[in-house]
Amino acid sequence: MIWNEEFETLPREALEALQLKRLKNLVERVYTAVPYYREKMDKAGVKPTDIKSLSDLRKLPFTTKEDLRLNYPFGLFAVPFEKVVRIHASSGTTGKPTVVGYTKNDIDAWAELMARTLSAGGAHPGDVVHNAYGYGLFTGGLGAHYGAERLGAAVIPISGGNSKRQIMLMQDFGSTVLMCTPSYALNLADVMKEMNVDPKSLKLRVGLFGAEPWSENMRQEIEARLNIKAIDIFGLSEVMGPGVASECIEEKHGLHVFEDYFIPEIVNPETFEPVPHGELGELVFTTLTKEAFPVIRYRTKDLSRIIDAPCSCGRTFHRMQRITGRTDDMLIIRGVNVFPSQIEHVLMSIEGVEPHYQIIVDRQASLDIMEVQVEVSENIFSDEIKVLEKLGKRIEREIKDLLGVSCKVKLVEPKTIQRSEGKAKRVIDNRKL
């Protein structure tokens, strides 16, 4: 179902005219209201009147997470504070938290975007949405919550954790839609197995998963173990929260970016020059309607590419390929770029390997050493040692074939890797770089 057919199926010419109108308004507004943006634009030699076409967007300077931290907490807000009705913030685990604000109109737009997301994923009025995204300063929980209500669904605001209770409520309340991180979905599948709960006995039909990169093989694992359709959704708090882009259930191939609200760009992460559609690079977003906290050319550090081919669902928005990694979680092992999602792709293609793993990197005598710890099924773990050795060697070989870098694989017994109730911690980098 298309939630807002008028805008989601706009002909490209009309869509781009709308984007340009909103872009001009945005640039004028932030230049007037936000001294930091005005100084950056003056330094770059660009004025609001220089924005005459969508291609003029590239004249504008980028915004980075560092800019947000430099203006902590409210320096980039573009409205008087009395118009701000909601504040969210990051955890600040790598520095000052990044703080974002919303006006009433922003909250209304966010609910609209999440209603679109849920509809694209196959949800509809009357569904029971089991929302296991975290509530609080994290944008996931409340973003999904308001969208489900806008859709006309009943929301269970369960948040993360206490998995056995979650499964009990799924049984008792008849949950039909699951929303959480993909790693937590697999955690729930594990707990269902422990509780002898057959996923086929539940009413769950579809899951909308985001907030961390995941692979196609992981999708297949989730769909098989939870007996649902698994949909990839995308968002980030600096741009809006969840609701920036979503796969459609018809194709599950690329995420439709809601381009009447956001302009996506892909740039070369080294030169920062725009790259053609279809080419991999860093994803950059400009918000077109946000009032309290607009961003211009925000560098996400997520790696993706634009898909401009038509989609059978009827939406005319371009799609972005699922996130394959981030420029800042990219590991460089002996000169080779390694993304956790690439290793996950190998692991999930091998029978007997469980979807729980961790990558540990050390440096010994100036040499990077990568170890992949991965759980295997109980049947495999209780097998003969030579069977385990053969499996470990196979994984090492397939990782070497894909990445061109060798690693040590350590097979561990089930439930050894710490489970996540939010974003999974895939990498432990012990190097002092």
Side-chain angles (χ1 to χ4, degrees), residues 191-256:
V191 177
M192 282 184 198
K193 188 176 179 182
E194 289 175 9
M195 296 171 66
N196 291 318
V197 173
D198 182 355
K200 292 180 180 176
S201 69
L202 303 177
K203 293 182 178 178
L204 277 181
R205 190 181 72 249
V206 66
L208 281 74
F209 306 116
E212 61 186 17
W214 52 306
S215 64
E216 189 61 30
N217 286 335
M218 192 167 181
R219 185 211 298 274
Q220 293 170 11
E221 181 85 16
I222 291 171
E223 290 187 335
R225 295 186 62 184
L226 288 177
N227 191 42
I228 60 174
K229 299 289 185 186
I231 303 296
D232 190 13
I233 67 173
F234 175 83
L236 64 170
S237 61
E238 294 87 345
V239 175
M240 174 62 85
V244 175
S246 175
E247 287 183 334
C248 59
I249 197 165
E250 290 86 353
E251 291 208 4
K252 295 195 292 185
H253 174 62
L255 296 84
H256 291 279

Side-chain angles (χ1 to χ4, degrees), residues 24-303:
K24 287 180 176 179
N25 179 273
L26 165 75
V27 175
E28 181 69 46
R29 194 156 47 85
V30 299
Y31 188 85
T32 303
V34 185
Y36 190 77
Y37 274 121
R38 184 164 59 250
E39 289 172 15
K40 287 190 75 170
M41 289 170 62
D42 286 344
K43 191 175 179 181
V46 58
K47 301 290 185 186
T49 52
D50 293 327
I51 305 303
K52 296 181 171 62
S53 69
L54 288 178
S55 62
D56 289 331
L57 177 63
R58 67 184 61 179
K59 296 177 179 176
L60 298 166
F62 292 104
T63 304
T64 66
K65 190 179 283 287
E66 183 62 20
D67 291 319
L68 273 56
R69 287 175 174 153
L70 287 172
N71 288 278
Y72 174 86
F74 307 133
L76 293 183
F77 282 20
V79 296
F81 198 76
E82 57 267 27
K83 291 192 175 182
V84 175
V85 299
R86 174 92 65 80
I87 295 171
H88 284 278
S90 69
S91 60
T93 51
T94 57
K96 279 281 190 184
T98 54
V99 181
V100 296
Y102 302 80
T103 66
K104 285 183 180 178
N105 287 336
D106 292 333
I107 296 293
D108 187 62
W110 196 7
E112 155 78 14
L113 290 165
M114 279 308 297
R116 291 184 185 185
T117 298
L118 282 151
S119 293
H124 49 66
D127 265 321
V128 179
V129 176
H130 189 97
N131 186 14
Y133 281 118
Y135 282 67
L137 286 176
F138 174 58
T139 52
L142 284 171
H145 185 111
Y146 278 66
E149 287 186 347
R150 175 67 61 88
L151 179 71
V155 189
I156 303 172
I158 187 75
S159 198
N162 203 344
S163 301
K164 289 184 177 178
R165 183 164 179 261
Q166 300 233 8
I167 291 162
M168 180 193 77
L169 294 183
M170 284 182 192
Q171 293 175 303
D172 296 346
F173 293 178
S175 304
T176 54
V177 178
L178 172 62
M179 302 189 77
C180 61
T181 59
S183 56
Y184 190 56
L186 285 174
N187 189 17
L188 288 172
D190 284 346
V191 177
M192 282 184 198
K193 188 176 179 182
E194 289 175 9
M195 296 171 66
N196 291 318
V197 173
D198 182 355
K200 292 180 180 176
S201 69
L202 303 177
K203 293 182 178 178
L204 277 181
R205 190 181 72 249
V206 66
L208 281 74
F209 306 116
E212 61 186 17
W214 52 306
S215 64
E216 189 61 30
N217 286 335
M218 192 167 181
R219 185 211 298 274
Q220 293 170 11
E221 181 85 16
I222 291 171
E223 290 187 335
R225 295 186 62 184
L226 288 177
N227 191 42
I228 60 174
K229 299 289 185 186
I231 303 296
D232 190 13
I233 67 173
F234 175 83
L236 64 170
S237 61
E238 294 87 345
V239 175
M240 174 62 85
V244 175
S246 175
E247 287 183 334
C248 59
I249 197 165
E250 290 86 353
E251 291 208 4
K252 295 195 292 185
H253 174 62
L255 296 84
H256 291 279
V257 179
F258 298 121
E259 291 182 278
D260 50 338
Y261 284 83
F262 313 103
I263 296 179
E265 297 175 85
I266 301 290
V267 301
N268 183 307
E270 295 179 355
T271 66
F272 308 122
E273 290 296 320
V275 302
H277 288 175
E279 196 168 309
L280 186 69
E282 182 179 343
L283 189 56
V284 174
F285 276 108
T286 296
T287 63
L288 291 175
T289 64
K290 277 188 74 181
E291 295 177 341
F293 187 80
V295 288
I296 293 176
R297 305 193 80 196
Y298 181 74
R299 289 183 50 207
T300 66
K301 297 193 176 183
D302 289 321
L303 294 174

